[in-house]
């Protein structure tokens, strides 16, 4: 199984529009971050977690030729806004793309992309099959997703564990019960927005502390703001086994 970080930035991405800070003007490619998303590939399926505003650009940059499914963590715009661009895969694959989300996510999709769900199907609109997910594990092909519920301020957000890999974004609070689902992961991905306190995201220190509690062999930090600092500087501050993720990073894991 291969995992590609399609985007590792927060809701505004990096660089931020009209910002001239040292991160937004950095020439280090690792400081350029599209909105947070990953792609999971095995022998039979290509799955993307979240299709934010940069989805089209991410698909082009990663040279993605097929898409079997999108799994949504939650309904915020930086995680769903690019859904319309599945049309290219509909045309190429001559059929719909499977879309997985809880009932709240589905309500948001039906509101934001109302034309997809109208009785009259305008030619060329995106084609999708909606699948409802909750707290129980579900399969896409041979890949089993175990949902992990975290709180993004007061909004429930789903992370996912796949074998020894756990992916969580937009977390501020993770209960002891949900934390237990993560224990034993060899690779953990967790959000680390910035150093300063934030109402709905882990800070760098909070993310590091959580990573150390879990004790994964490797932890990658994602959903990063320009306020965190330069990739090269922050990398020097991190404990062993904890690294900043960056766009284009790929992980190869046993199926």
């Amino acid at each position: 199984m291969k995992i590609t970080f399609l985007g590792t930035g927060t809701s505004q991405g990096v660089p931020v529009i009209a910002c001239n800070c040292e991160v937004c003007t950095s020439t280090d490619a690792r400081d350029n971050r599209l909105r947070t998303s990953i792609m999971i590939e095995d022998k039979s399926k290509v799955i993307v977690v979240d299709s934010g505003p940069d989805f089209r650009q991410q698909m082009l940059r990663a040279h993605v030729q097929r898409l079997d499914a999108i799994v949504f963590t939650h309904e915020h715009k930086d995680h769903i806004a690019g859904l319309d661009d599945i049309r290219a895969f509909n045309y190429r694959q001559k059929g719909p793309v499977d879309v997985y989300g809880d009932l709240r996510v589905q309500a948001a999709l039906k509101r934001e992309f109302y034309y997809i769900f109208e009785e009259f199907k305008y030619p060329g609109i995106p084609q999708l099959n909606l699948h409802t997910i909750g707290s129980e594990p579900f399969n896409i092909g041979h890949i089993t997703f175990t949902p992990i519920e975290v709180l993004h301020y007061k909004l429930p957000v789903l992370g996912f564990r796949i074998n020894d890999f756990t992916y969580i974004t937009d977390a501020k609070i993770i209960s002891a019960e949900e934390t237990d689902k993560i224990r034993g992961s060899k690779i953990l991905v967790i959000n680390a927005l910035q150093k300063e306190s934030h109402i709905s995201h882990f800070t760098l220190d909070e993310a590091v502390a959580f990573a150390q509690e879990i004790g994964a062999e490797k932890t990658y930090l994602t959903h990063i703001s320009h306020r965190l600092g330069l990739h090269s500087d922050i990398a020097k501050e991190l404990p062993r086994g904890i690294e900043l993720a960056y766009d284009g990073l790929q992980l190869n894991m046993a199926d």
Side-chain angles (χ1 to χ4, degrees):
M1 184 173 71
K2 181 169 73 174
I3 296 164
T4 302
F5 288 80
L6 299 172
T8 56
T10 188
S11 59
Q12 296 185 83
V14 184
V16 175
I17 293 172
C19 181
N20 297 305
C21 75
E22 64 174 357
V23 177
C24 288
T25 57
S26 170
T27 57
D28 186 340
R30 296 172 300 177
D31 288 318
N32 291 327
R33 301 180 183 277
L34 300 180
R35 267 58 77 95
T36 298
S37 177
I38 59 169
M39 179 169 61
I40 302 161
E41 300 172 84
D42 75 353
K43 297 174 184 177
S44 63
K45 296 291 182 182
V46 178
I47 303 162
V48 167
V49 179
D50 290 333
S51 60
D54 303 316
F55 176 72
R56 175 181 175 274
Q57 184 178 354
Q58 290 165 340
M59 294 298 95
L60 290 170
R61 185 175 64 180
H63 305 290
V64 180
Q65 299 296 302
R66 189 179 97 245
L67 180 65
D68 296 295
I70 298 175
V71 179
F72 286 111
T73 60
H74 65 297
E75 66 269 31
H76 280 170
K77 203 78 169 204
D78 56 317
H79 293 260
I80 69 169
L83 181 64
D84 184 84
D85 283 313
I86 66 169
R87 290 181 294 148
F89 294 111
N90 295 150
Y91 179 79
R92 183 179 179 86
Q93 296 164 199
K94 296 180 172 55
V97 170
D98 289 318
V99 170
Y100 295 76
D102 63 21
L103 292 176
R104 203 184 55 251
V105 167
Q106 292 184 32
L109 297 180
K110 291 174 181 178
R111 181 176 63 249
E112 299 291 329
F113 302 96
Y114 62 91
Y115 52 91
I116 296 176
F117 303 96
E118 289 184 332
E119 184 177 354
F120 172 73
K121 303 296 184 185
Y122 190 85
I125 63 171
Q127 302 170 45
L128 55 86
N129 291 325
L130 272 181
H131 301 269
T132 302
I133 60 176
S135 59
E136 296 300 314
F138 61 94
N139 281 22
I140 304 177
H142 299 296
I143 301 175
T144 300
F145 287 73
T146 299
I148 299 164
E149 186 174 290
V150 305
L151 283 177
H152 180 37
Y153 185 40
K154 296 182 179 181
L155 179 71
V157 169
L158 292 180
F160 300 101
R161 179 167 180 171
I162 303 164
N163 297 330
D164 294 327
F165 172 81
T166 296
Y167 179 76
I168 297 173
T169 180
D170 294 79
K172 182 62 177 180
I173 299 172
I174 307 178
S175 70
E177 181 180 1
E178 297 302 299
T179 297
D180 285 343
K181 297 179 183 179
I182 305 167
R183 297 189 192 281
S185 298
K186 292 182 179 179
I187 295 181
L188 170 66
V189 181
I190 191 75
N191 58 298
L193 186 73
Q194 58 192 35
K195 291 186 174 182
E196 297 80 11
S197 179
H198 194 274
I199 194 171
S200 60
H201 283 279
F202 275 166
T203 64
L204 178 62
D205 286 346
E206 289 168 342
V208 167
F210 184 77
Q212 291 175 327
E213 178 186 354
I214 295 301
E217 293 176 7
K218 183 77 74 173
T219 294
Y220 294 95
L221 306 180
T222 193
H223 212 293
I224 293 165
S225 164
H226 65 150
R227 293 191 182 95
L228 183 62
L230 293 168
H231 188 288
S232 58
D233 290 343
I234 301 301
K236 297 172 186 176
E237 302 175 12
L238 296 175
R240 186 174 182 179
I242 302 177
E243 299 180 9
L244 293 180
Y246 55 87
D247 290 21
L249 173 65
Q250 291 188 334
L251 309 176
N252 290 294
M253 303 188 64
D255 292 333

